[in-house]
Amino acid sequence: MFMLINCSNCRTPLQLPPGARSIRCAICQAVTQIADPRAVNPPPATHHWPPPGPPSSASPSPYNHAPPGPPPNPHGRKKAVIVGISYRYSRHELKGCLNDAKCMRYLLINKFQFPESSILMLTEEETDPYRIPTKYNMRMALYWLVQGCQPGDSLLFHYSGHGSRQRNYNGDEIDGYDETLCPLDFETQGMIVDDEINATIVRPLPHGVKLHAIIDACHSGTVLDLSFLCRMNRSGQYSWEDHRPRSGIMKGTSGGEAISFSGCDDDQTSADTSALSKITSTGAMTFCFIQAIERGHGRTYGSILTAMRAAIREAGGSGGDLGGGVVTSLLTMLVTGGSGIGGGFRQEPQLTACQPFDVYAKPFSL
């Protein structure tokens, strides 16, 4: 398990490998010595990225301040990190992920009143080098998302891209595998493992803060390592499956609430497809999530999940001609596109949470 410390020179958050007694900062090259790694605490929320430095002609970093202006509502701030990765010009290229990111941003601003200034977009289309979805930038974006969060805040993390899994060795996974997200540079820098995602955006959540994750990727069912998975059958009956590690490793929040919708179960794949829209390619899960909201199924978590699953089953069985409705009107804004996988894909969106609840009674809100 990684721990977070601050560089002794420039205060950049660093991840300390298990058992390490020192670490070199990749920014200023200073070496920080650790007397007892077990005594290390996460860095205070007041530290910002990147550290102060000489003026640069590059665009200002999105991580060096909280969203400007007053809170959007009296109950707290809204902040979001949206990641869409197409892996263009590679053998891993996806067609719909940039569309997913743009549609999610549109939904958050126009349906859920997220201020534009509080939404951090990481895609290959960004010109700011800090907003390219590399592993380093994705890590820093996740730090930024929870940085300084206060009771009443609503946080959202949306990811559309490749996901994978790898053998687990610390005993905290029921199926023996860690789920992962694949940054743009994953082939050289490696993947982001669910343990790190949990440590970065789940465990720090204080009481009164709410986090939603919408993860459109393969093998994404438990990619936040949340403690409970909603196991639902096709008739809508469900029970909560306990995924708390038998090893006793802490995976919960610090009193806050974390809920995740994901594209498929841990052993399934998620489609990047044109089957759901005749306009352009999208991630099947993102499309069906937005469609559920726009068609009035967003009252509860259960109504969203059942609507998403029904739409994907219908698309898989009928060749995908759902008709986009309001969602199609969102997609017409986009100039990118391309052909994707045809109909017939098989995936079941999943719901996980830090605590079980009545999915048909708990209101959904961002």
Side-chain angles (χ1 to χ4, degrees):
M1 181 178 66
F2 287 92
M3 292 183 177
L4 299 180
I5 66 168
N6 292 321
C7 171
S8 58
N9 181 51
C10 68
R11 313 306 295 169
T12 297
L14 305 174
Q15 289 192 316
L16 184 70
R21 293 301 180 99
S22 65
I23 188 169
R24 183 181 296 276
C25 178
I27 304 303
C28 70
Q29 301 302 312
V31 175
T32 300
Q33 301 290 338
I34 306 299
D36 182 1
R38 292 172 299 180
V40 174
N41 293 316
T46 54
H47 295 152
H48 302 303
W49 168 259
S56 170
S57 59
S59 301
S61 165
Y63 310 112
N64 62 0
H65 59 76
N73 61 64
H75 304 294
R77 296 180 304 169
K78 296 189 177 189
K79 295 174 66 177
V81 168
I82 298 177
V83 180
I85 314 177
S86 68
Y87 313 90
R88 57 189 177 190
Y89 312 126
S90 79
R91 61 191 177 93
H92 309 292
E93 185 166 4
L94 296 172
K95 300 295 185 183
C97 296
L98 295 180
N99 294 341
D100 291 345
K102 292 176 182 178
C103 287
M104 186 58 63
R105 180 178 183 273
Y106 183 96
L107 182 78
L108 293 183
I109 293 172
N110 292 280
K111 186 75 173 180
F112 294 104
Q113 291 76 52
F114 276 66
E116 292 187 43
S117 59
S118 72
I119 299 176
L120 179 57
M121 296 279 288
L122 272 66
T123 74
E124 290 126 300
E125 291 187 344
E126 300 295 326
T127 57
D128 185 337
Y130 289 112
R131 296 177 185 242
I132 303 299
T134 62
K135 182 177 183 178
Y136 192 75
N137 285 346
M138 283 180 60
R139 282 174 160 174
M140 291 300 105
L142 293 178
Y143 295 142
W144 172 85
L145 181 63
V146 299
Q147 188 178 60
C149 58
Q150 309 256 339
D153 288 356
S154 176
L155 314 177
L156 183 133
F157 172 45
H158 174 251
Y159 173 88
S160 181
H162 281 303
S164 187
R165 63 203 309 221
Q166 63 188 36
R167 179 66 67 180
N168 168 264
Y169 294 103
N170 67 356
D172 69 343
E173 294 283 351
I174 291 177
D175 61 1
Y177 287 92
D178 284 317
E179 286 65 51
T180 63
L181 301 182
C182 300
L184 180 62
D185 55 355
F186 75 96
E187 289 187 292
T188 58
Q189 300 303 311
M191 299 179 286
I192 299 179
V193 182
D194 53 10
D195 295 331
E196 178 182 346
I197 299 169
N198 182 276
T200 305
I201 63 172
V202 175
R203 269 184 268 174
L205 294 173
H207 180 76
V209 175
K210 179 168 56 179
L211 167 74
H212 286 91
I214 301 167
I215 310 296
D216 196 345
C218 297
H219 310 294
S220 56
T222 63
V223 76
L224 263 68
D225 264 355
L226 299 181
S227 298
F228 297 92
L229 182 144
C230 179
R231 191 64 75 184
M232 181 179 287
N233 63 23
R234 289 200 170 195
S235 65
Q237 297 173 316
Y238 74 94
S239 62
W240 286 99
E241 194 171 271
D242 191 341
H243 280 248
R244 285 175 292 187
R246 303 299 181 260
S247 61
I249 296 174
M250 166 66 173
K251 292 287 186 177
T253 71
S254 297
E257 184 175 26
I259 299 174
S260 175
F261 285 100
S262 53
C264 60
D265 211 345
D266 285 341
D267 61 353
Q268 294 179 329
T269 57
S270 292
D272 177 57
T273 179
S274 57
L276 289 157
S277 170
K278 295 187 176 181
I279 298 173
T280 188
S281 292
T282 65
M285 180 268 187
T286 299
F287 185 97
C288 291
F289 176 82
I290 295 175
Q291 179 177 257
I293 300 296
E294 295 289 355
R295 289 187 172 180
H297 301 298
R299 188 177 64 84
T300 67
Y301 292 88
S303 61
I304 294 174
L305 186 62
T306 54
M308 291 170 63
R309 288 184 162 201
I312 286 179
R313 284 198 300 269
E314 182 181 346
S318 66
D321 185 10
L322 291 179
V326 178
V327 181
T328 300
S329 70
L330 300 185
L331 294 173
T332 59
M333 301 186 307
L334 309 177
V335 295
T336 57
S339 60
I341 304 168
F345 46 85
R346 293 178 59 84
Q347 65 183 91
E348 295 177 317
Q350 302 294 324
L351 175 69
T352 58
C354 61
Q355 294 291 339
F357 56 87
D358 185 339
V359 301
Y360 295 115
K362 185 178 179 66
F364 172 77
S365 63
L366 293 180

